[in-house]
Amino acid sequence: MTTRPLTRLFSSTTRPLSLLSSSTASSSSPSSSLLSPACAVPSSSASRGIKLPPLRYHVFKEPIPYPVGLKLQNDIIDRRLAAKTKDPVGSRGVGDLVLLLEHTPTYTTGRRDNSPNPNELHPEEKKVQNVGASFFITKRGGQVTYHGPGQLVGYPILDLNVMETSTRCYVEYLQAMLGDYVREISALGDTILAPHPDGHVGVFSSPTEKVSSIGIHLRHRITSHGFAMNITPEPLKWFDLVLACGLADVRASSLHDLISRSAVSNGVIPSLPSVADVAGDMVPKFGELFGREIVGLEGEGKHGVVTEEIEEIRTLVKKAEADAKEQNGNSGGWATEPDLSKSG
């Protein structure tokens, strides 16, 4: 089994990509055409008379072991709930945050995934023992999926009550945003499906190929977990070992595959983005989607106000980064491909 040493960091540069135009909010936009009638395209919070603080974001520079990322989400939500109890009005939306990262190789499944016996290994876990990836049963929705290097994971931690957004619409907004992005960067247009024609949630590059998954969890109406998008082909060998998302006739694809496919048909040399590039592209889209100023976690925003809640979240994020670096160092890196010599 080959492992990647601890030298793989997010690059400091991102490819320029325009923000979603104002037409995204029109009824004729690709986003709105894929939303259910109950979920109008989200208008800006200001237009609805809601004054919300900036939406913050943080991009991690090193792949995060799954338990570290899970603990961080739970700790941030604990802190947010404490702030709401202490100051229900003053804390409204202050801790809204989008975490963007890669995980070290990990398989996860959702809380509703049916296992025949809780005292036995999950059937999919039996397939991937000793291949170089962990396996966790989580509280998110959805079935088995894979997370690892080469894939961008997004964990929005948002108070849907404050944003006056239903759970269903929140999922549809994420799906539409991701679908629009994949269409835009791949130049494949209407061949990108979000959702699947049979109603499966996610972004599909054809009825039999999936490039992005969505699975969320809510606690007191604050979101966790989120989405994952395959950027490079690296995750695909790992996906091939399991029945991903419970879809037997759907295989994983990557953004690189889609861009290359479009480029070949158009006779051009493709420019393939890194995970860092895509993270940089996605950041402003969250601000556009929810009509809010978007600011780095370490930034101050237009009003220059940094609350105790934000300071504590910063501390939690720094600790998670330190824990990830230590754990990755102790394990000597992470596998770049599955070791099939020891698999079940």
Side-chain angles (χ1 to χ4, degrees), residues 247-268:
L247 302 176
D249 57 347
V250 176
R251 61 178 290 273
S253 62
S254 73
L255 205 56
H256 283 194
D257 292 339
L258 306 187
I259 293 171
S260 297
R261 185 183 308 170
S262 174
V264 168
S265 64
N266 293 326
V268 300

Side-chain angles (χ1 to χ4, degrees), residues 42-56 80 84 88-97 157-165 286-287 289-295 300-303 305 310:
S43 58
S44 90
S45 57
S47 70
R48 289 179 286 131
I50 307 171
K51 294 183 179 179
L52 295 180
L55 173 61
R56 294 181 179 268
R80 295 201 60 188
K84 287 181 70 173
V89 176
S91 67
R92 285 175 57 84
V94 168
D96 282 351
L97 172 70
I157 303 177
L158 309 174
D159 190 330
L160 295 188
N161 276 352
V162 168
M163 294 167 59
E164 298 185 356
T165 300
F286 275 97
L289 179 66
F290 295 115
R292 296 171 66 175
E293 178 189 7
I294 188 156
V295 179
E300 295 185 348
K302 292 180 180 179
H303 303 294
V305 177
I310 293 299

Side-chain angles (χ1 to χ4, degrees), residues 238-249:
W238 300 89
F239 270 106
D240 287 343
L241 300 182
V242 295
L243 181 62
C245 302
L247 302 176
D249 57 347

Side-chain angles (χ1 to χ4, degrees), residues 95-119:
D96 282 351
L97 172 70
V98 178
L99 303 174
L100 296 170
L101 57 116
E102 292 173 282
H103 277 303
T104 55
T106 306
Y107 292 97
T108 69
T109 190
R111 65 192 182 280
R112 295 178 183 173
D113 193 1
N114 294 323
S115 300
N117 190 330
N119 297 320

Side-chain angles (χ1 to χ4, degrees), residues 122-140:
H122 188 284
E124 295 298 310
E125 185 174 3
K126 293 179 181 178
K127 299 178 182 179
V128 294
Q129 283 188 286
N130 305 313
V131 300
S134 304
F135 192 102
F136 296 97
I137 297 176
T138 75
K139 293 183 179 181
R140 64 163 173 79

Side-chain angles (χ1 to χ4, degrees), residues 293-341:
E293 178 189 7
I294 188 156
V295 179
L297 181 58
E298 297 300 322
E300 295 185 348
K302 292 180 180 179
H303 303 294
V305 177
V306 177
T307 66
E308 178 183 354
E309 183 178 357
I310 293 299
E311 290 287 7
E312 292 188 6
I313 291 175
R314 288 174 175 174
T315 299
L316 292 172
V317 168
K318 289 176 181 177
K319 184 178 187 306
E321 289 180 317
D323 289 345
K325 184 174 183 179
E326 179 181 4
Q327 291 183 28
N328 290 339
N330 290 340
S331 63
W334 50 87
T336 57
E337 60 183 25
D339 182 356
L340 302 182
S341 67

Side-chain angles (χ1 to χ4, degrees), residues 29-35 174-198 200-214 228-230 251-263 265:
S29 71
S31 292
S32 61
S33 66
L34 295 172
L35 294 171
L174 284 183
Q175 184 174 247
M177 179 184 71
L178 296 171
D180 279 349
Y181 177 74
V182 175
R183 290 186 194 93
E184 179 181 7
I185 195 171
S186 70
L188 288 177
D190 291 340
T191 63
I192 304 301
L193 309 170
H196 189 277
D198 292 334
H200 306 307
V201 174
V203 179
F204 297 79
S205 45
S206 79
T208 59
E209 295 179 318
K210 188 175 188 179
V211 67
S212 183
S213 299
I214 297 172
M229 183 187 296
N230 300 325
R251 61 178 290 273
S253 62
S254 73
L255 205 56
H256 283 194
D257 292 339
L258 306 187
I259 293 171
S260 297
R261 185 183 308 170
S262 174
S265 64

